[in-house]
């Protein structure tokens, strides 16, 4: 095994290792490459968000000790050969709906992975089945293109993964700011690709956020197939008032922050 730094990788700001093909000219030994990379790492010139994957740290990012996550996550996931999309509070930022700046960059993929730490940058990986099928949009970054969930998928995920969003209170606050970006017809399509209980919770939260017109698009879908009541919060008590419109057991009081 010999480590190499390809021209393409350098331009993208990333360093990876690969096997030399037999026809390639001999290069430096693996030990020599490792030693050189360690020297650069100690000088803060490179950083490693994941095993076998390092990034070049330009002077303008020396204070955080890494590239911003949006500038290396696309190449990292390509290197791992995993589908992904930036979601939840991270996605909400791209639509002007992040109430607070998230402390970590949130990435959905189809396999569980440990969080990535790189200088002051934190990346949280969240496993979701068939993440590759979620509707997404591309956003340009200084080093490529980042895949981000659409506003509709982001809304669904905020109700499906409230703990990762800071709780239902944070979810409804973000939804109240995200609603202007949501296409009601696309919202139904996103709901159909997720568990029904997520759509039930989302409809209830949208109504609480005074987004009844957007919620109305979900209502026919939920009413046509929802037979059982589902709790609003999975962490709350098992009983509470019953909301008939969405078949929700209201076991937590949630209001958007003003």
């Amino acid at each position: 095994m010999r480590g190499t730094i390809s021209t393409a990788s350098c331009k993208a700001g990333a360093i990876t290792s690969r096997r030399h093909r037999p026809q390639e000219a001999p290069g430096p030994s693996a030990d020599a490459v490792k030693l050189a990379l360690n020297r650069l790492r100690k000088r803060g010139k490179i950083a490693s968000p994941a095993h076998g994957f390092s990034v070049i740290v330009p002077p303008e990012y020396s204070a955080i000790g890494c590239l911003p996550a949006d500038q290396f996550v696309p190449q990292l996931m390509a290197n791992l050969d995993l589908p992904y999309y930036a979601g939840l509070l991270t996605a909400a930022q791209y639509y002007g709906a992040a109430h607070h700046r998230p402390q970590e960059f949130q990435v959905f993929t189809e396999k569980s992975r440990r969080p990535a730490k790189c200088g002051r940058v934190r990346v949280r990986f969240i496993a979701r089945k068939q993440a590759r099928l979620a509707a997404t949009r591309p956003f340009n970054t200084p080093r490529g293109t980042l895949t981000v969930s659409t506003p509709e998928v982001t809304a669904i995920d905020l109700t499906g993964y409230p703990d990762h969003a800071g709780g239902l209170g944070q979810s409804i606050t973000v939804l109240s700011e995200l609603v202007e970006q949501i296409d009601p017809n696309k919202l139904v399509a996103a709901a159909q690709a997720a568990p029904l209980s997520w759509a039930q919770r989302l409809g209830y939260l949208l109504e609480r956020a005074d987004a009844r017109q957007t919620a109305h698009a979900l209502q026919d879908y939920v009413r046509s197939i929802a037979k059982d009541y589902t709790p609003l919060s999975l962490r709350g008590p098992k009983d509470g008032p019953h909301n008939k419109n969405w078949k929700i057991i209201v076991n937590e009081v949630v209001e958007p922050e003003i």
Side-chain angles (χ1 to χ4, degrees), residues 184-185 188 191-192 196 199 203 207 212-226 245-246:
N185 293 325
V188 174
Q192 290 171 338
L196 176 60
E207 282 195 348
R212 290 179 176 81
Q213 185 173 353
T214 304
H216 182 72
L218 278 178
Q219 203 161 53
D220 289 343
Y221 166 66
V222 170
R223 284 179 174 176
S224 67
I225 59 175
N245 283 343
W246 301 102

Side-chain angles (χ1 to χ4, degrees), residues 12-245:
I15 304 169
T16 59
S17 61
R18 59 183 173 87
R19 292 184 182 275
H20 274 291
R21 296 176 181 174
Q23 66 268 28
E24 289 183 313
S29 68
D31 288 341
V33 171
K34 186 181 295 185
L35 182 60
L37 292 178
N38 283 337
R39 287 173 179 168
L40 290 171
R41 190 173 291 110
K42 289 179 180 179
R43 292 167 56 192
K45 301 297 183 181
I46 65 170
S48 299
H51 179 71
F53 182 89
S54 298
V55 296
I56 298 169
V57 183
E60 62 267 30
Y61 296 122
S62 60
I64 62 173
C66 189
L67 284 176
D70 63 339
Q71 296 186 30
F72 71 77
V73 162
Q75 190 164 348
L76 171 62
M77 301 309 286
N79 192 55
L80 295 170
D81 194 24
L82 290 175
Y84 84 94
Y85 63 85
L88 292 175
L89 301 182
T90 296
Q93 283 190 115
Y94 287 87
Y95 303 113
H99 194 64
H100 301 291
R101 183 179 179 85
Q103 296 182 348
E104 56 188 17
F105 195 90
Q106 297 171 312
V107 175
F108 281 92
T109 188
E110 294 181 353
K111 294 182 179 180
S112 297
R113 286 190 58 82
R114 292 181 178 179
K117 298 180 180 180
C118 180
R120 292 165 55 187
V121 176
R122 300 290 182 270
V123 180
R124 174 72 60 179
F125 295 100
I126 305 165
R128 182 180 180 184
K129 293 181 180 179
Q130 298 183 322
R132 71 185 68 224
L133 301 180
T136 59
R137 291 183 185 177
F139 281 83
N140 292 330
T141 77
R143 287 174 173 76
T145 302
L146 178 72
T147 301
V148 179
S149 58
T150 62
E152 297 78 25
V153 170
T154 303
I156 288 289
D157 285 346
L158 284 167
T159 59
Y161 301 87
D163 288 349
H164 288 290
L168 287 171
Q170 176 75 345
S171 291
I172 192 174
T173 297
V174 175
L175 284 170
S176 68
E177 299 173 349
L178 183 65
V179 67
E180 293 181 1
Q181 303 287 335
I182 293 175
D183 181 316
N185 293 325
K186 292 180 180 179
L187 183 61
V188 174
Q192 290 171 338
L196 176 60
S197 60
W198 297 11
Q200 291 172 257
R201 294 187 187 105
L202 177 57
Y204 175 80
L205 292 178
L206 286 171
E207 282 195 348
R208 296 295 296 174
D210 288 328
R212 290 179 176 81
Q213 185 173 353
T214 304
H216 182 72
L218 278 178
Q219 203 161 53
D220 289 343
Y221 166 66
V222 170
R223 284 179 174 176
S224 67
I225 59 175
K227 297 180 180 180
D228 300 320
Y229 279 81
T230 191
L232 177 61
S233 171
L234 296 178
R235 295 185 176 275
K238 295 182 179 180
D239 201 8
H242 284 47
N243 180 284
K244 294 182 179 180
N245 283 343

